[in-house]
Amino acid sequence: MAKGEGAESGSAAGLLPTGILPAAERPAQEPKKKQQLSICNKLCYAVGGAPYQVTGCALGFFLQIYLLDVAQVDPFSASIILFVGRAWDAFTDPLVGFCISKSSWTRLGRLMPWIIFSTPLAIIAYFLIWFVPDFPQGQALWYLLFYCLFETLVTCFHVPYSALTMFISTEQSERDSATAYRMTVEVLGTVLGTAIQGQIVGQVDTPCLQDPKDSSLATEGANRTQSTTSLKETQNAYLLAAGVIASIYVVCAVILTLGVREQREPYETQQAEPMSFFRGLRLVMSHGPYVKLIAGFLFTSLAFMLVEGNFALFCTYTLGFRNEFQNLLLAIMLSATFTIPVWQWFLTRFGKKTAVYIGISSAVPFLILVAFMESNLIVTYVVAVAAGISVAAAFLLPWSMLPDVIDDFHLKQPQSHGTEPIFFSFYVFFTKFASGVSLGISTLSLDFAGYQTRGCSQPERVKFTLKMLVTIAPIALILLGLLLFKLYPIDEEKRRQNKKALQALREEASSSGCSDTDSTELASIL
């Protein structure tokens, strides 16, 4: 009888899940392995950042000069297009974030369907931005319409892609590593966008008028045929560049879709119902570290956007390098690409806040040098290469620090899940809105200074205005942003504490999930 009872007990113990057995009878569990992402996973994830940067770089560096000198839109209308387009782009970020937060999980995930379905429409809208319609009276409306449409569609790609950072791994170190891969590819994307747009467009000479004030008289009439032919070639070059960039957009989107899978947090699956968007927004915007982070990067990003938006005009008219500005852009972006791994090592070794201070402030001496030096091509290339080092830091650090803020938020609000798109979308919202304001104001400033459309040269007031927009204003914004970073509370010690606390929370959630499953299995067995 005793033998039978022991056998029966042993048999039952063999049937019962280990989570139900007494602690003494449970088999020793192996320590949980860290969730490692393969290099292939990281590369596929990183490639997804290229479309936004390739198109954004082409638009950021070339759209202003394209509207003024190729499409021949007047400066006031161009400023309206640039401001409204960027402002609309900014407002679509929280709107898309709201829609994503309401999306349910599918077989492809919650974020991937947005990326897949927005891609074909985005490339059509992008191509039409660079097309010059035959009706000159409605050109401004054409560009405004398709610029806003493209920015909406690329937002439907980029906001879920940015939020994907939190869903590729639960390990903080793996997310940081994947972010470094992403930033490297994104800087390569800017290099690619600069190279494609700049080199293709640079092969043709945009026609200009030696004396724009006489454009309606004999000067224009004598060269009308040659000018029209040259302008048409320039327009075709912009279309060719748009076609190449649109193809790259599609290829990168396909690689991202096939190579990356979303992963849900263990404790997220236990939440009974998702938090409302507006309650989540209220909690996010009241989270101190987030507000301080976006405030600091708002000003530093605005500084680099001012340089980006006016660099082509600055090189063409202030420095006199009409045929070199695309090569100078390429030098900046290549330098940034090669220094991204250096900054990743630096922030790992010395901390992210230290990397912010050193990396972003390193641009200031070179901007000062540009402001006071004479036009010298060799010195300009040296400054461009050095400035790329700071551009790399500006690319990497915001996206590397934002996941730390979200982790801190999850610890303080452990029941608030599904807020990741709100964090990313509102960060992008503030930077894009500021970018729209900066581009609108800078183009209006050129109009007030007397900018001459299609002019081979510009008045001294225009040259001085461009110098202020590319040097003095960015320096002031960078210094203000660095002062705000002094208030940012998450240092390396705080990051380590958050990492340990989150790991304990995940293990507790996993253990709780196992217990629920084990209870169900026990009921079935009984």
Side-chain angles (χ1 to χ4, degrees):
M1 188 71 177
K3 182 178 179 181
E5 289 176 357
E8 184 178 348
S9 175
S11 176
L15 290 173
L16 291 177
T18 56
I20 303 174
L21 294 177
E25 299 182 23
R26 294 181 190 176
Q29 295 183 354
E30 296 181 1
K32 191 174 181 180
K33 294 182 179 179
K34 283 189 175 182
Q35 187 182 35
Q36 297 286 342
L37 291 174
S38 68
I39 294 179
C40 181
N41 291 142
K42 294 176 184 177
L43 286 175
C44 290
Y45 165 73
V47 164
Y52 182 78
Q53 295 300 333
V54 172
T55 56
C57 181
L59 290 169
F61 282 120
F62 292 91
L63 184 59
Q64 186 184 48
I65 196 170
Y66 167 80
L67 291 174
L68 294 173
D69 290 351
V70 180
Q72 299 181 32
V73 178
D74 64 273
F76 179 76
S77 298
S79 68
I80 296 298
I81 293 169
L82 293 170
F83 169 70
V84 174
R86 286 296 182 99
W88 172 255
D89 184 24
F91 280 109
T92 57
D93 282 288
L95 180 62
V96 171
F98 169 76
C99 295
I100 292 174
S101 68
K102 294 297 183 181
S103 301
S104 57
W105 281 82
T106 67
R107 186 171 59 86
L108 297 174
R110 186 173 63 179
L111 306 175
M112 279 298 182
W114 289 83
I115 294 172
I116 294 170
F117 293 114
S118 66
T119 296
L121 298 175
I123 61 173
I124 295 173
Y126 179 78
F127 186 80
L128 292 175
I129 290 175
W130 303 103
F131 177 76
V132 180
D134 293 332
F135 40 89
Q137 296 299 324
Q139 277 190 348
L141 183 60
W142 171 280
Y143 291 116
L144 180 61
L145 173 64
F146 285 106
Y147 187 31
C148 290
L149 179 60
F150 171 73
E151 294 294 357
T152 302
L153 292 167
V154 80
T155 296
C156 292
F157 181 103
H158 188 62
V159 169
Y161 172 73
S162 300
L164 192 62
T165 307
M166 301 302 298
F167 296 97
I168 56 174
S169 175
T170 58
E171 288 294 328
Q172 189 182 83
S173 59
E174 290 297 297
R175 292 201 305 258
D176 285 346
S177 177
T179 299
Y181 276 80
R182 171 190 167 187
M183 292 301 108
T184 302
V185 173
E186 287 194 358
V187 176
L188 282 172
T190 63
V191 172
L192 204 56
T194 304
I196 293 171
Q197 191 84 11
Q199 299 304 317
I200 292 177
V201 172
Q203 297 302 312
V204 295
D205 293 325
T206 303
C208 63
L209 300 176
Q210 294 295 337
D211 188 0
K213 294 181 181 180
D214 295 335
S215 60
S216 59
L217 302 176
T219 304
E220 186 176 10
N223 301 307
R224 188 170 185 177
T225 303
Q226 180 182 359
S227 177
T228 302
T229 303
S230 180
L231 184 61
K232 189 66 177 177
E233 290 176 355
T234 304
Q235 292 170 358
N236 291 335
Y238 274 96
L239 283 177
L240 176 60
V244 175
I245 288 175
S247 302
I248 294 172
Y249 193 118
V250 174
V251 171
C252 292
V254 170
I255 293 173
L256 172 67
T257 304
L258 297 178
V260 177
R261 286 190 175 276
E262 294 180 55
Q263 300 178 21
R264 302 180 74 173
E265 287 277 13
Y267 51 80
E268 183 182 357
T269 58
Q270 298 177 26
Q271 191 174 350
E273 59 182 61
M275 178 184 296
S276 69
F277 175 81
F278 292 104
R279 180 167 177 263
L281 176 61
R282 188 166 58 251
L283 288 174
V284 167
M285 297 310 297
S286 62
H287 188 56
Y290 179 67
V291 173
K292 293 166 185 174
L293 182 71
I294 61 174
F297 277 119
L298 176 64
F299 289 100
T300 56
S301 299
L302 183 55
F304 288 100
M305 288 173 186
L306 270 176
V307 176
E308 176 188 23
N310 296 282
F311 188 78
L313 292 173
F314 176 73
C315 289
T316 300
Y317 296 116
T318 303
L319 298 181
F321 302 140
R322 175 177 289 271
N323 298 320
E324 289 290 335
F325 77 86
Q326 66 268 18
N327 298 324
L328 288 166
L329 290 176
L330 195 58
I332 292 173
M333 295 308 169
L334 283 173
S335 172
T337 302
F338 290 123
T339 50
I340 281 279
V342 176
W343 285 118
Q344 173 62 20
W345 169 83
F346 188 93
L347 67 86
T348 304
R349 179 68 177 82
F350 299 101
K352 296 180 181 180
K353 286 189 71 172
T354 305
V356 166
Y357 293 129
I358 295 178
I360 295 179
S361 63
S362 64
V364 173
F366 302 109
L367 292 175
I368 294 174
L369 181 60
V370 170
F372 293 102
M373 75 175 185
E374 297 295 329
S375 179
N376 184 298
L377 186 59
I378 296 177
V379 174
T380 305
Y381 270 106
V382 173
V383 170
V385 171
I389 299 173
S390 185
V391 171
F395 262 89
L396 174 65
L397 292 168
W399 300 108
S400 180
M401 297 171 77
L402 202 50
D404 299 336
V405 172
I406 298 175
D407 285 343
D408 186 72
F409 176 81
H410 283 163
L411 283 174
K412 294 179 180 177
Q413 304 287 343
Q415 300 303 317
S416 304
H417 304 297
T419 55
E420 292 84 359
I422 301 176
F423 276 99
F424 286 97
S425 62
F426 270 86
Y427 168 73
V428 179
F429 164 78
F430 287 115
T431 55
K432 285 183 178 179
F433 185 78
S435 171
V437 172
S438 71
L439 278 175
I441 291 176
S442 62
T443 309
L444 273 179
S445 300
L446 294 176
D447 188 25
F448 294 147
Y451 182 87
Q452 301 291 340
T453 301
R454 294 182 61 192
C456 292
S457 62
Q458 297 292 339
E460 288 300 320
R461 286 197 307 167
V462 173
K463 296 178 182 179
F464 177 78
T465 301
L466 286 169
K467 181 172 287 190
M468 293 298 100
L469 291 171
V470 172
T471 57
I472 303 303
I475 290 172
L477 291 168
I478 286 174
L479 295 177
L480 182 57
L482 292 178
L483 285 175
L484 290 173
F485 274 119
K486 293 289 290 183
L487 305 175
Y488 180 67
I490 302 179
D491 55 14
E492 292 307 297
E493 180 62 29
K494 181 68 173 177
R495 285 181 66 232
R496 283 191 288 269
Q497 293 174 2
N498 287 351
K499 180 179 178 180
K500 292 179 180 179
L502 275 175
Q503 187 62 36
L505 182 63
R506 292 183 182 115
E507 290 175 356
E508 180 183 353
S510 299
S511 174
S512 175
C514 289
S515 298
D516 292 341
T517 304
D518 293 341
S519 299
T520 304
E521 292 179 2
L522 176 60
S524 301
I525 293 170
L526 293 177

